[in-house]
Amino acid sequence: MSESAVRPAAVIVLAAGAGTRMKSRTPKILHTLCGVSMIGHALGAARDLDPEHLVAVVRHQREKVADHITAWGERHDVDITIADQDEVPGTGRAVECGLEQLAAQDALPVTGTVVVTYGDVPLLTTDLLRKLVSTHETEGNAVTVLTAILEDATGYGRILRDADGSVTGIVEQKDATAEQQEIKEINSGIYAFDAQVLTEALAEVSTDNAQGEKYLTDVLGIARAAGRRVAAVSTKDRWQVEGANDRIQLQALGAELNRRIVRWQMRHGTTVIDPATTWIDATVILEEDTTILPGTQLHGRTHVECGAVVGPDTTLTDVVVGENATVTRTHGSGARIGADATVGPFTYLRPGTVLGEEGKIGAFYETKNVTIGRGSKLSHLGYAGDAEIGEYTNIGCGNITANYDGENKHRTVIGSHVRTSSNTVFVAPVEVGDGAYTGAGAVVRKDVPPGALALSVAPQRNSEDWVENKRPGSAAAEAAKKAKNDDTAE
Ligand code: UD1
Ligand code: CA
Protein backbone atom coordinates (compact mmCIF):
# COMPACT_ATOMS: atom_id res chain seq x y z
CA MET A 1 0.00 0.00 0.00
CA SER A 2 2.11 2.88 -1.27
CA GLU A 3 -0.50 5.53 -0.45
CA SER A 4 -0.51 4.89 3.28
CA ALA A 5 3.26 4.41 3.40
CA VAL A 6 4.09 8.03 2.54
CA ARG A 7 5.25 9.94 5.55
CA PRO A 8 5.88 13.62 4.80
CA ALA A 9 8.60 15.47 6.63
CA ALA A 10 6.14 18.17 7.68
CA VAL A 11 2.66 19.53 7.27
CA ILE A 12 2.49 23.30 7.65
CA VAL A 13 -1.01 24.57 8.42
CA LEU A 14 -1.43 28.27 7.66
CA ALA A 15 -3.45 30.02 10.34
CA ALA A 16 -2.10 33.56 10.52
CA GLY A 17 -4.84 35.34 8.54
CA ALA A 18 -7.23 37.86 10.06
CA GLY A 19 -10.63 36.51 9.08
CA THR A 20 -12.36 39.88 9.45
CA ARG A 21 -15.43 38.87 7.43
CA MET A 22 -16.55 36.62 10.25
CA LYS A 23 -17.39 39.78 12.26
CA SER A 24 -16.49 38.04 15.47
CA ARG A 25 -14.43 38.44 18.61
CA THR A 26 -13.57 34.79 18.25
CA PRO A 27 -10.76 34.12 15.77
CA LYS A 28 -12.23 32.80 12.52
CA ILE A 29 -10.55 29.41 12.65
CA LEU A 30 -11.88 28.78 16.17
CA HIS A 31 -15.46 28.84 14.87
CA THR A 32 -16.85 25.33 14.79
CA LEU A 33 -18.67 23.03 12.44
CA CYS A 34 -19.98 19.65 13.53
CA GLY A 35 -18.60 20.30 17.00
CA VAL A 36 -14.97 20.84 15.98
CA SER A 37 -13.18 24.12 15.26
CA MET A 38 -12.09 24.80 11.68
CA ILE A 39 -8.47 24.56 12.73
CA GLY A 40 -9.30 21.33 14.59
CA HIS A 41 -10.57 19.78 11.35
CA ALA A 42 -7.46 20.99 9.50
CA LEU A 43 -5.10 19.66 12.18
CA GLY A 44 -6.98 16.35 12.24
CA ALA A 45 -6.54 15.81 8.50
CA ALA A 46 -2.86 16.76 8.79
CA ARG A 47 -2.20 14.59 11.84
CA ASP A 48 -3.68 11.50 10.16
CA LEU A 49 -1.08 11.89 7.41
CA ASP A 50 1.41 11.04 10.17
CA PRO A 51 3.99 13.71 9.31
CA GLU A 52 7.26 13.89 11.18
CA HIS A 53 6.39 17.48 12.11
CA LEU A 54 3.07 19.26 12.36
CA VAL A 55 3.45 23.04 12.24
CA ALA A 56 0.85 25.78 12.62
CA VAL A 57 1.72 29.32 11.54
CA VAL A 58 -0.05 31.97 13.63
CA ARG A 59 -0.18 35.74 13.93
CA HIS A 60 -3.67 37.24 14.12
CA GLN A 61 -5.13 36.87 17.67
CA ARG A 62 -1.99 34.91 18.34
CA GLU A 63 -2.58 33.92 21.97
CA LYS A 64 -6.11 32.59 21.54
CA VAL A 65 -5.21 30.73 18.37
CA ALA A 66 -1.96 29.27 19.72
CA ASP A 67 -3.61 28.20 22.99
CA HIS A 68 -6.38 26.48 21.09
CA ILE A 69 -3.90 24.67 18.83
CA THR A 70 -1.73 23.59 21.76
CA ALA A 71 -4.77 22.30 23.64
CA TRP A 72 -5.88 20.40 20.54
CA GLY A 73 -2.43 18.81 20.33
CA GLU A 74 -2.55 17.77 23.99
CA ARG A 75 -6.03 16.27 23.58
CA HIS A 76 -4.91 14.29 20.54
CA ASP A 77 -1.47 13.46 21.86
CA VAL A 78 0.50 15.16 19.06
CA ASP A 79 3.27 17.71 19.29
CA ILE A 80 2.44 20.78 17.28
CA THR A 81 5.11 23.34 16.50
CA ILE A 82 3.76 26.87 16.68
CA ALA A 83 5.52 29.25 14.29
CA ASP A 84 4.96 33.00 14.45
CA GLN A 85 4.64 34.88 11.19
CA ASP A 86 6.36 38.27 11.24
CA GLU A 87 5.08 41.52 9.71
CA VAL A 88 5.82 40.47 6.13
CA PRO A 89 2.41 39.49 4.74
CA GLY A 90 1.48 36.63 2.46
CA THR A 91 1.21 32.87 2.27
CA GLY A 92 4.81 32.57 1.09
CA ARG A 93 6.12 34.36 4.13
CA ALA A 94 3.88 32.24 6.36
CA VAL A 95 5.40 29.02 4.99
CA GLU A 96 8.88 30.48 5.25
CA CYS A 97 8.29 31.26 8.95
CA GLY A 98 7.10 27.69 9.46
CA LEU A 99 10.22 26.27 7.82
CA GLU A 100 12.52 28.60 9.76
CA GLN A 101 10.93 27.55 13.04
CA LEU A 102 11.39 23.88 12.19
CA ALA A 103 14.98 24.36 11.08
CA ALA A 104 15.77 26.26 14.30
CA GLN A 105 14.14 23.56 16.39
CA ASP A 106 16.02 20.67 14.75
CA ALA A 107 19.14 22.75 13.98
CA LEU A 108 18.91 21.29 10.44
CA PRO A 109 17.30 22.40 7.20
CA VAL A 110 14.07 20.53 6.48
CA THR A 111 14.35 17.81 3.81
CA GLY A 112 11.78 15.62 2.12
CA THR A 113 8.17 16.41 1.35
CA VAL A 114 6.48 19.42 2.93
CA VAL A 115 2.70 19.68 2.69
CA VAL A 116 0.97 23.05 3.06
CA THR A 117 -2.70 23.31 4.07
CA TYR A 118 -4.99 26.03 5.43
CA GLY A 119 -6.58 26.34 8.85
CA ASP A 120 -9.86 27.49 7.32
CA VAL A 121 -10.48 24.60 4.87
CA PRO A 122 -12.33 22.17 7.12
CA LEU A 123 -13.62 19.46 4.76
CA LEU A 124 -10.23 18.46 3.38
CA THR A 125 -9.64 14.77 4.09
CA THR A 126 -6.52 12.82 4.85
CA ASP A 127 -7.33 10.57 1.88
CA LEU A 128 -7.06 13.46 -0.55
CA LEU A 129 -3.85 14.67 1.12
CA ARG A 130 -2.43 11.16 0.79
CA LYS A 131 -3.27 11.13 -2.89
CA LEU A 132 -1.51 14.48 -3.29
CA VAL A 133 1.62 13.26 -1.49
CA SER A 134 1.80 9.90 -3.25
CA THR A 135 1.37 11.52 -6.69
CA HIS A 136 4.02 14.07 -5.75
CA GLU A 137 6.49 11.38 -4.72
CA THR A 138 5.83 8.79 -7.43
CA GLU A 139 6.06 11.43 -10.16
CA GLY A 140 9.20 12.88 -8.60
CA ASN A 141 7.74 16.40 -8.59
CA ALA A 142 9.29 19.46 -7.02
CA VAL A 143 5.82 20.95 -6.49
CA THR A 144 2.38 19.34 -6.74
CA VAL A 145 -0.61 21.62 -6.31
CA LEU A 146 -4.15 20.51 -5.49
CA THR A 147 -6.60 22.11 -7.91
CA ALA A 148 -10.31 22.08 -8.73
CA ILE A 149 -12.43 23.23 -11.63
CA LEU A 150 -14.97 25.85 -10.53
CA GLU A 151 -17.75 27.38 -12.62
CA ASP A 152 -17.14 30.64 -10.77
CA ALA A 153 -13.44 30.93 -10.09
CA THR A 154 -13.59 34.58 -8.96
CA GLY A 155 -11.15 35.39 -6.18
CA TYR A 156 -8.96 32.34 -6.55
CA GLY A 157 -5.49 32.00 -8.00
CA ARG A 158 -5.66 30.42 -11.47
CA ILE A 159 -3.56 27.52 -12.70
CA LEU A 160 -1.45 28.36 -15.75
CA ARG A 161 -0.61 25.52 -18.13
CA ASP A 162 1.36 25.55 -21.36
CA ALA A 163 0.33 24.01 -24.69
CA ASP A 164 1.19 20.44 -23.61
CA GLY A 165 -0.91 20.87 -20.46
CA SER A 166 1.97 20.99 -17.97
CA VAL A 167 1.63 23.42 -15.08
CA THR A 168 3.74 26.53 -15.48
CA GLY A 169 2.58 28.62 -12.58
CA ILE A 170 -0.24 30.32 -10.70
CA VAL A 171 -1.56 33.83 -11.17
CA GLU A 172 -3.58 35.58 -8.46
CA GLN A 173 -7.00 37.06 -9.37
CA LYS A 174 -5.74 40.58 -8.68
CA ASP A 175 -2.72 40.13 -10.93
CA ALA A 176 -4.46 38.17 -13.71
CA THR A 177 -5.08 39.44 -17.22
CA ALA A 178 -8.64 39.38 -18.59
CA GLU A 179 -7.73 36.23 -20.49
CA GLN A 180 -6.27 34.50 -17.41
CA GLN A 181 -9.41 35.38 -15.47
CA GLU A 182 -11.33 33.08 -17.84
CA ILE A 183 -9.41 30.07 -16.47
CA LYS A 184 -11.65 27.84 -14.36
CA GLU A 185 -8.95 25.67 -12.79
CA ILE A 186 -8.22 27.17 -9.39
CA ASN A 187 -5.44 26.86 -6.86
CA SER A 188 -6.79 25.30 -3.67
CA GLY A 189 -3.79 26.61 -1.75
CA ILE A 190 -2.87 23.07 -0.76
CA TYR A 191 0.42 21.68 -2.03
CA ALA A 192 3.16 19.13 -1.65
CA PHE A 193 6.66 20.57 -2.04
CA ASP A 194 10.15 19.29 -2.07
CA ALA A 195 11.53 21.04 1.01
CA GLN A 196 14.77 22.14 -0.57
CA VAL A 197 13.11 23.55 -3.70
CA LEU A 198 10.58 25.32 -1.49
CA THR A 199 13.20 26.89 0.77
CA GLU A 200 15.33 28.06 -2.15
CA ALA A 201 12.41 29.40 -4.17
CA LEU A 202 10.91 31.28 -1.19
CA ALA A 203 14.20 33.13 -0.80
CA GLU A 204 13.63 34.50 -4.30
CA VAL A 205 9.94 35.48 -3.89
CA SER A 206 9.35 39.21 -3.66
CA THR A 207 6.36 41.29 -2.57
CA ASP A 208 6.18 42.97 -5.94
CA ASN A 209 2.51 42.32 -6.79
CA ALA A 210 -0.96 43.86 -6.55
CA GLN A 211 -1.30 42.99 -2.84
CA GLY A 212 2.28 43.67 -1.72
CA GLU A 213 2.44 40.14 -0.28
CA LYS A 214 5.00 37.39 -0.45
CA TYR A 215 3.03 34.87 -2.52
CA LEU A 216 3.57 31.16 -1.96
CA THR A 217 2.14 30.70 -5.46
CA ASP A 218 5.26 32.29 -6.98
CA VAL A 219 7.22 29.19 -5.94
CA LEU A 220 5.65 27.22 -8.79
CA GLY A 221 6.88 29.58 -11.51
CA ILE A 222 10.33 29.79 -9.94
CA ALA A 223 10.65 26.00 -9.67
CA ARG A 224 9.41 25.50 -13.21
CA ALA A 225 11.83 28.14 -14.58
CA ALA A 226 14.65 26.27 -12.80
CA GLY A 227 13.69 23.18 -14.80
CA ARG A 228 11.95 21.33 -11.94
CA ARG A 229 8.80 19.24 -12.36
CA VAL A 230 5.65 21.09 -11.36
CA ALA A 231 2.34 19.23 -11.56
CA ALA A 232 -1.23 19.26 -10.31
CA VAL A 233 -3.68 16.85 -8.71
CA SER A 234 -7.21 17.90 -9.52
CA THR A 235 -10.17 17.01 -7.33
CA LYS A 236 -13.81 16.87 -8.43
CA ASP A 237 -14.92 17.34 -4.83
CA ARG A 238 -14.91 21.12 -4.55
CA TRP A 239 -16.06 21.01 -0.90
CA GLN A 240 -12.70 19.63 0.12
CA VAL A 241 -10.86 22.71 -1.04
CA GLU A 242 -13.39 25.31 0.02
CA GLY A 243 -12.61 27.76 2.80
CA ALA A 244 -14.98 29.60 5.11
CA ASN A 245 -14.50 33.35 5.18
CA ASP A 246 -17.86 34.40 6.62
CA ARG A 247 -20.72 32.85 8.54
CA ILE A 248 -22.67 32.06 5.40
CA GLN A 249 -19.84 29.95 4.00
CA LEU A 250 -19.32 28.40 7.42
CA GLN A 251 -22.97 27.34 7.53
CA ALA A 252 -22.81 25.88 4.02
CA LEU A 253 -19.67 23.90 4.85
CA GLY A 254 -21.17 22.79 8.17
CA ALA A 255 -24.32 21.51 6.46
CA GLU A 256 -22.27 19.63 3.89
CA LEU A 257 -19.99 18.14 6.53
CA ASN A 258 -23.04 17.07 8.53
CA ARG A 259 -24.50 15.46 5.41
CA ARG A 260 -21.25 13.53 4.96
CA ILE A 261 -21.17 12.44 8.61
CA VAL A 262 -24.80 11.29 8.52
CA ARG A 263 -24.15 9.29 5.34
CA TRP A 264 -21.03 7.77 6.88
CA GLN A 265 -23.03 6.74 9.95
CA MET A 266 -25.75 5.21 7.77
CA ARG A 267 -23.13 3.24 5.85
CA HIS A 268 -21.86 1.94 9.18
CA GLY A 269 -25.18 0.67 10.46
CA THR A 270 -27.21 3.58 11.82
CA THR A 271 -30.76 4.20 10.60
CA VAL A 272 -31.33 7.93 10.18
CA ILE A 273 -34.94 8.71 9.35
CA ASP A 274 -34.44 12.35 8.38
CA PRO A 275 -30.87 13.41 7.53
CA ALA A 276 -32.00 16.99 6.95
CA THR A 277 -32.95 17.49 10.61
CA THR A 278 -30.30 15.24 12.13
CA TRP A 279 -27.05 16.86 13.28
CA ILE A 280 -24.17 14.65 14.33
CA ASP A 281 -20.83 16.01 15.49
CA ALA A 282 -17.67 14.59 13.98
CA THR A 283 -16.75 13.30 17.45
CA VAL A 284 -19.92 11.24 18.07
CA ILE A 285 -19.86 7.43 18.08
CA LEU A 286 -22.91 5.49 16.91
CA GLU A 287 -22.78 1.71 17.05
CA GLU A 288 -24.56 -0.71 14.73
CA ASP A 289 -28.33 -0.90 14.59
CA THR A 290 -28.84 2.41 16.29
CA THR A 291 -31.77 4.54 15.14
CA ILE A 292 -31.83 8.32 15.11
CA LEU A 293 -35.28 9.87 14.74
CA PRO A 294 -35.96 13.33 13.22
CA GLY A 295 -34.95 16.57 14.90
CA THR A 296 -32.04 15.09 16.85
CA GLN A 297 -28.67 16.70 17.59
CA LEU A 298 -25.84 14.58 18.94
CA HIS A 299 -22.82 16.47 20.20
CA GLY A 300 -19.39 16.04 21.69
CA ARG A 301 -18.48 12.67 23.18
CA THR A 302 -21.96 11.25 22.80
CA HIS A 303 -21.83 7.49 22.28
CA VAL A 304 -24.92 5.50 21.34
CA GLU A 305 -24.57 1.76 21.79
CA CYS A 306 -26.06 -1.06 19.69
CA GLY A 307 -29.79 -1.10 19.19
CA ALA A 308 -30.54 2.16 21.00
CA VAL A 309 -33.15 4.57 19.64
CA VAL A 310 -32.67 8.32 20.08
CA GLY A 311 -35.22 11.01 19.22
CA PRO A 312 -37.32 12.52 17.92
CA ASP A 313 -36.42 16.06 18.97
CA THR A 314 -33.57 15.16 21.26
CA THR A 315 -30.32 16.99 21.98
CA LEU A 316 -27.53 15.06 23.67
CA THR A 317 -24.09 16.39 24.54
CA ASP A 318 -21.51 13.99 26.00
CA VAL A 319 -24.17 11.39 26.78
CA VAL A 320 -23.64 7.63 26.71
CA VAL A 321 -26.76 5.74 25.66
CA GLY A 322 -26.60 2.05 26.53
CA GLU A 323 -27.63 -0.91 24.38
CA ASN A 324 -31.27 -0.98 23.36
CA ALA A 325 -32.11 2.06 25.46
CA THR A 326 -34.65 4.58 24.16
CA VAL A 327 -34.32 8.33 24.60
CA THR A 328 -37.34 10.33 23.47
CA ARG A 329 -37.69 14.13 23.28
CA THR A 330 -34.90 14.68 25.76
CA HIS A 331 -32.30 17.38 26.42
CA GLY A 332 -29.26 15.87 28.07
CA SER A 333 -25.60 16.50 28.82
CA GLY A 334 -22.91 14.67 30.73
CA ALA A 335 -25.16 11.70 31.46
CA ARG A 336 -24.97 7.90 31.21
CA ILE A 337 -28.04 5.89 30.35
CA GLY A 338 -27.89 2.16 31.01
CA ALA A 339 -28.78 -0.68 28.66
CA ASP A 340 -32.52 -1.21 28.09
CA ALA A 341 -33.35 1.96 30.01
CA THR A 342 -35.94 4.48 28.85
CA VAL A 343 -35.81 8.25 29.06
CA GLY A 344 -38.42 10.82 28.09
CA PRO A 345 -40.49 12.28 26.68
CA PHE A 346 -39.72 15.83 27.84
CA THR A 347 -36.84 14.98 30.14
CA TYR A 348 -33.90 17.15 31.16
CA LEU A 349 -30.78 15.19 32.06
CA ARG A 350 -28.08 17.34 33.58
CA PRO A 351 -24.45 16.42 34.18
CA GLY A 352 -23.75 13.55 36.54
CA THR A 353 -26.96 11.69 35.82
CA VAL A 354 -26.33 7.94 35.78
CA LEU A 355 -29.31 5.74 35.03
CA GLY A 356 -28.93 2.00 35.59
CA GLU A 357 -29.93 -0.82 33.27
CA GLU A 358 -33.65 -1.13 32.68
CA GLY A 359 -34.19 2.08 34.61
CA LYS A 360 -36.59 4.84 33.66
CA ILE A 361 -36.65 8.60 33.86
CA GLY A 362 -40.01 9.70 32.53
CA ALA A 363 -41.90 12.76 31.46
CA PHE A 364 -41.09 16.19 32.89
CA TYR A 365 -38.24 15.00 35.06
CA GLU A 366 -35.08 16.97 35.72
CA THR A 367 -32.06 15.13 37.04
CA LYS A 368 -28.59 16.23 38.10
CA ASN A 369 -25.76 14.41 39.89
CA VAL A 370 -27.85 11.38 40.61
CA THR A 371 -27.02 7.70 40.43
CA ILE A 372 -30.05 5.51 39.83
CA GLY A 373 -29.70 1.74 40.22
CA ARG A 374 -30.84 -1.04 37.93
CA GLY A 375 -34.57 -1.23 37.29
CA SER A 376 -35.46 1.87 39.32
CA LYS A 377 -38.09 4.19 37.91
CA LEU A 378 -38.68 7.91 38.23
CA SER A 379 -41.67 7.98 35.94
CA HIS A 380 -43.32 11.36 36.12
CA LEU A 381 -42.95 15.02 37.07
CA GLY A 382 -40.10 15.57 39.44
CA TYR A 383 -36.60 16.61 40.30
CA ALA A 384 -33.78 14.38 41.47
CA GLY A 385 -30.46 16.06 42.26
CA ASP A 386 -27.46 15.17 44.42
CA ALA A 387 -28.96 11.80 45.13
CA GLU A 388 -28.33 8.09 45.06
CA ILE A 389 -31.15 5.66 44.44
CA GLY A 390 -30.77 1.90 44.78
CA GLU A 391 -32.18 -0.90 42.60
CA TYR A 392 -35.79 -1.61 41.67
CA THR A 393 -37.05 1.41 43.55
CA ASN A 394 -40.17 3.19 42.36
CA ILE A 395 -40.23 6.91 42.87
CA GLY A 396 -43.81 8.17 42.74
CA CYS A 397 -45.22 11.01 40.69
CA GLY A 398 -44.05 14.50 41.57
CA ASN A 399 -41.24 13.56 43.95
CA ILE A 400 -38.58 16.14 44.67
CA THR A 401 -35.19 16.03 46.31
CA ALA A 402 -34.91 19.34 48.13
CA ASN A 403 -31.14 19.39 47.82
CA TYR A 404 -30.47 23.09 48.34
CA ASP A 405 -30.96 24.79 51.70
CA GLY A 406 -30.34 28.22 50.22
CA GLU A 407 -26.62 28.06 50.87
CA ASN A 408 -25.41 24.51 50.47
CA LYS A 409 -26.24 21.37 48.53
CA HIS A 410 -26.99 18.13 50.40
CA ARG A 411 -27.41 14.49 49.41
CA THR A 412 -30.43 12.25 49.44
CA VAL A 413 -29.79 8.51 49.68
CA ILE A 414 -32.67 6.18 48.85
CA GLY A 415 -32.26 2.41 49.09
CA SER A 416 -33.42 -0.48 46.92
CA HIS A 417 -37.02 -1.71 46.49
CA VAL A 418 -38.31 1.52 47.98
CA ARG A 419 -41.82 2.76 47.08
CA THR A 420 -42.40 6.46 47.44
CA SER A 421 -45.85 7.89 47.10
CA SER A 422 -46.88 10.91 45.06
CA ASN A 423 -45.49 14.32 46.00
CA THR A 424 -42.91 13.10 48.43
CA VAL A 425 -40.30 15.75 49.24
CA PHE A 426 -36.91 14.57 50.51
CA VAL A 427 -35.35 17.34 52.56
CA ALA A 428 -31.65 16.59 52.22
CA PRO A 429 -29.49 15.43 53.85
CA VAL A 430 -31.70 12.44 54.41
CA GLU A 431 -31.63 8.65 53.98
CA VAL A 432 -34.39 6.19 53.17
CA GLY A 433 -33.65 2.55 53.94
CA ASP A 434 -34.23 -0.47 51.68
CA GLY A 435 -37.83 -1.53 51.24
CA ALA A 436 -39.26 1.59 52.91
CA TYR A 437 -42.45 3.36 51.80
CA THR A 438 -43.59 6.97 52.03
CA GLY A 439 -47.13 8.28 52.19
CA ALA A 440 -48.62 10.72 49.71
CA GLY A 441 -47.34 14.23 50.20
CA ALA A 442 -44.78 13.18 52.77
CA VAL A 443 -42.10 15.70 53.63
CA VAL A 444 -39.22 13.44 54.61
CA ARG A 445 -36.97 15.38 57.00
CA LYS A 446 -35.74 12.48 59.09
CA ASP A 447 -34.09 9.25 57.97
CA VAL A 448 -36.52 6.41 57.26
CA PRO A 449 -35.44 2.98 58.55
CA PRO A 450 -35.62 -0.03 56.19
CA GLY A 451 -39.16 -1.27 55.74
CA ALA A 452 -40.82 1.68 57.52
CA LEU A 453 -43.70 3.77 56.16
CA ALA A 454 -42.94 7.46 56.49
CA LEU A 455 -45.95 9.69 57.02
CA SER A 456 -45.65 13.38 57.72
CA VAL A 457 -49.02 14.76 56.73
CA ALA A 458 -51.55 15.47 59.55
CA PRO A 459 -54.52 13.06 59.62
CA GLN A 460 -57.43 14.24 57.48
CA ARG A 461 -60.45 15.85 59.22
CA ASN A 462 -63.71 16.52 57.28
CA SER A 463 -65.75 19.51 58.45
CA GLU A 464 -69.29 18.32 57.53
CA ASP A 465 -71.61 20.78 55.71
CA TRP A 466 -68.87 23.43 55.61
CA VAL A 467 -69.78 24.47 52.05
CA GLU A 468 -73.50 24.86 52.61
CA ASN A 469 -72.82 26.89 55.79
CA LYS A 470 -70.03 29.06 54.50
CA ARG A 471 -70.97 29.33 50.80
CA PRO A 472 -74.76 29.17 50.79
CA GLY A 473 -76.33 29.44 47.36
CA SER A 474 -73.08 28.76 45.52
CA ALA A 475 -72.97 26.24 42.70
CA ALA A 476 -70.85 24.02 44.95
CA ALA A 477 -73.43 24.23 47.76
CA GLU A 478 -76.26 23.41 45.32
CA ALA A 479 -74.34 20.43 43.95
CA ALA A 480 -73.64 19.17 47.48
CA LYS A 481 -77.31 19.54 48.44
CA LYS A 482 -78.39 17.61 45.33
CA ALA A 483 -75.90 14.83 46.02
CA LYS A 484 -77.19 14.43 49.57
CA ASN A 485 -80.86 14.40 48.43
CA ASP A 486 -80.02 11.75 45.83
CA ASP A 487 -78.35 9.69 48.56
CA THR A 488 -81.37 9.82 50.86
CA ALA A 489 -83.78 9.10 47.96
CA GLU A 490 -82.00 5.78 47.27
C1 UD1 B 1 -4.61 32.02 -1.59
C2 UD1 B 1 -3.76 31.74 -2.82
C3 UD1 B 1 -4.68 31.55 -4.04
C4 UD1 B 1 -5.67 30.44 -3.77
C5 UD1 B 1 -6.41 30.71 -2.48
C6 UD1 B 1 -7.26 29.52 -2.12
C7 UD1 B 1 -1.66 32.88 -2.49
C8 UD1 B 1 -0.83 34.04 -2.84
N1 UD1 B 1 -2.85 32.82 -3.04
O1 UD1 B 1 -5.33 33.21 -1.84
O2 UD1 B 1 -3.92 31.25 -5.19
O3 UD1 B 1 -6.57 30.30 -4.84
O4 UD1 B 1 -5.50 30.95 -1.39
O5 UD1 B 1 -8.06 29.83 -1.04
O6 UD1 B 1 -1.21 32.00 -1.77
N2 UD1 B 1 -2.31 33.18 5.58
C9 UD1 B 1 -1.29 33.25 6.48
N3 UD1 B 1 -0.47 34.33 6.44
C10 UD1 B 1 -0.63 35.32 5.53
C11 UD1 B 1 -1.68 35.22 4.60
C12 UD1 B 1 -2.49 34.13 4.64
O7 UD1 B 1 -1.12 32.37 7.33
O8 UD1 B 1 0.15 36.28 5.56
C13 UD1 B 1 -3.19 32.01 5.63
C14 UD1 B 1 -4.62 32.41 5.95
O9 UD1 B 1 -4.87 32.35 7.33
C15 UD1 B 1 -5.42 31.35 5.19
C16 UD1 B 1 -4.52 31.02 4.01
O10 UD1 B 1 -3.23 31.43 4.37
O11 UD1 B 1 -5.60 30.19 5.95
C17 UD1 B 1 -4.96 31.69 2.74
O12 UD1 B 1 -4.99 33.07 2.92
P1 UD1 B 1 -5.98 33.96 2.08
O13 UD1 B 1 -5.68 35.37 2.35
O14 UD1 B 1 -7.35 33.48 2.25
O15 UD1 B 1 -5.48 33.55 0.62
P2 UD1 B 1 -5.81 34.28 -0.72
O16 UD1 B 1 -4.97 35.48 -0.81
O17 UD1 B 1 -7.26 34.40 -0.85
CA1 CA C 1 -4.95 37.51 0.69
Side-chain angles (χ1 to χ4, degrees):
M1 260 285 286
S2 66
E3 283 207 353
S4 61
V6 287
R7 186 161 195 233
V11 180
I12 301 179
V13 181
L14 305 191
T20 47
R21 277 179 282 167
M22 210 56 131
K23 303 266 190 286
S24 177
R25 286 172 210 182
T26 302
K28 176 172 91 169
I29 55 175
L30 267 52
H31 282 257
T32 62
L33 52 169
C34 296
V36 176
S37 65
M38 281 205 261
I39 184 75
H41 287 289
L43 292 171
R47 183 265 325 257
D48 289 347
L49 208 53
D50 191 28
E52 282 166 46
H53 297 282
L54 180 50
V55 186
V57 183
V58 301
R59 178 171 170 86
H60 181 78
Q61 291 196 286
R62 195 245 179 237
E63 292 313 315
K64 276 189 192 170
V65 171
D67 287 353
H68 181 89
I69 291 170
T70 304
W72 189 97
E74 282 166 7
R75 261 199 323 281
H76 295 84
D77 205 20
V78 272
D79 286 332
I80 302 174
T81 301
I82 305 279
D84 284 287
Q85 187 173 350
D86 57 18
E87 58 291 334
V88 179
T91 47
R93 184 58 190 162
V95 169
E96 202 168 30
C97 292
L99 289 170
E100 281 169 8
Q101 179 67 35
L102 270 187
Q105 174 179 304
D106 283 6
L108 276 177
V110 185
T111 57
T113 299
V114 172
V115 174
V116 173
T117 69
Y118 289 173
D120 58 357
V121 178
L123 267 63
L124 179 70
T125 61
T126 306
D127 282 351
L128 186 53
L129 281 176
R130 270 200 199 107
K131 186 176 165 196
L132 177 72
V133 174
S134 69
T135 305
H136 177 79
E137 293 187 350
T138 46
E139 291 182 355
N141 298 334
V143 186
T144 312
V145 55
L146 182 63
T147 72
I149 310 289
L150 296 190
E151 255 331 291
D152 180 6
T154 313
Y156 286 95
R158 308 301 209 288
I159 304 297
L160 306 177
R161 292 179 182 263
D162 67 12
D164 70 1
S166 62
V167 177
T168 56
I170 298 173
V171 63
E172 289 305 290
Q173 166 91 25
K174 289 188 175 128
D175 304 295
T177 64
E179 199 182 333
Q180 287 168 334
Q181 290 191 14
E182 295 300 310
I183 299 171
K184 291 191 172 5
E185 186 178 14
I186 61 103
N187 169 28
S188 69
I190 294 153
Y191 323 76
F193 293 100
D194 173 79
Q196 201 183 337
V197 173
L198 177 62
T199 309
E200 286 169 14
L202 280 172
E204 285 182 43
V205 175
S206 75
T207 56
D208 181 17
N209 51 54
Q211 300 186 95
E213 293 180 3
K214 193 158 179 170
Y215 288 168
L216 180 59
T217 45
D218 286 356
V219 168
L220 279 77
I222 293 169
R224 167 80 185 213
R228 310 302 300 260
R229 271 189 65 92
V230 177
V233 166
S234 192
T235 178
K236 291 199 166 63
D237 183 4
R238 67 177 178 97
W239 290 105
Q240 288 209 50
V241 300
E242 226 154 87
N245 295 305
D246 59 27
R247 293 177 198 249
I248 292 172
Q249 289 169 342
L250 181 66
Q251 186 279 331
L253 282 163
E256 177 58 21
L257 181 56
N258 183 64
R259 202 183 69 85
R260 290 175 183 214
I261 291 169
V262 170
R263 290 174 70 85
W264 189 92
Q265 295 288 7
M266 291 196 285
R267 263 186 233 110
H268 290 80
T270 295
T271 294
V272 177
I273 303 297
D274 184 15
T277 62
T278 301
W279 293 84
I280 303 174
D281 280 0
T283 43
V284 165
I285 297 170
L286 304 179
E287 294 184 5
E288 266 175 33
D289 289 319
T290 46
T291 301
I292 310 300
L293 299 175
T296 295
Q297 299 92 41
L298 303 177
H299 299 305
R301 299 279 149 201
T302 292
H303 180 156
V304 184
E305 294 178 359
C306 285
V309 179
V310 178
D313 302 326
T314 292
T315 303
L316 302 180
T317 305
D318 303 330
V319 173
V320 177
V321 181
E323 277 186 35
N324 300 316
T326 62
V327 184
T328 309
R329 291 187 205 278
T330 291
H331 190 98
S333 62
R336 293 183 71 91
I337 297 164
D340 301 302
T342 64
V343 174
F346 309 109
T347 305
Y348 182 24
L349 305 178
R350 292 168 55 201
T353 298
V354 178
L355 177 60
E357 290 180 23
E358 296 166 31
K360 177 178 178 182
I361 303 175
F364 303 103
Y365 236 100
E366 176 176 335
T367 60
K368 186 211 75 180
N369 253 334
V370 54
T371 302
I372 300 164
R374 166 194 284 267
S376 287
K377 295 187 160 75
L378 292 72
S379 295
H380 357 249
L381 303 167
Y383 171 71
D386 300 312
E388 195 182 310
I389 298 171
E391 297 185 345
Y392 301 105
T393 281
N394 191 79
I395 301 293
C397 181
N399 281 207
I400 283 167
T401 56
N403 58 330
Y404 184 49
D405 65 11
E407 286 180 352
N408 295 302
K409 300 282 176 69
H410 302 282
R411 287 186 72 73
T412 299
V413 178
I414 298 173
S416 295
H417 298 283
V418 169
R419 300 282 179 268
T420 71
S421 198
S422 298
N423 271 7
T424 301
V425 178
F426 303 93
V427 182
V430 74
E431 279 191 41
V432 178
D434 290 348
Y437 276 54
T438 68
V443 177
V444 180
R445 296 177 188 277
K446 295 190 294 191
D447 290 354
V448 182
L453 167 66
L455 299 171
S456 70
V457 177
Q460 181 172 331
R461 184 173 62 87
N462 292 336
S463 183
E464 296 285 339
D465 303 325
W466 186 91
V467 173
E468 284 153 287
N469 293 334
K470 298 287 186 187
R471 304 282 186 270
S474 68
E478 292 307 312
K481 197 189 286 173
K482 182 166 180 295
K484 285 184 205 165
N485 289 341
D486 289 353
D487 275 358
T488 46
E490 266 167 22

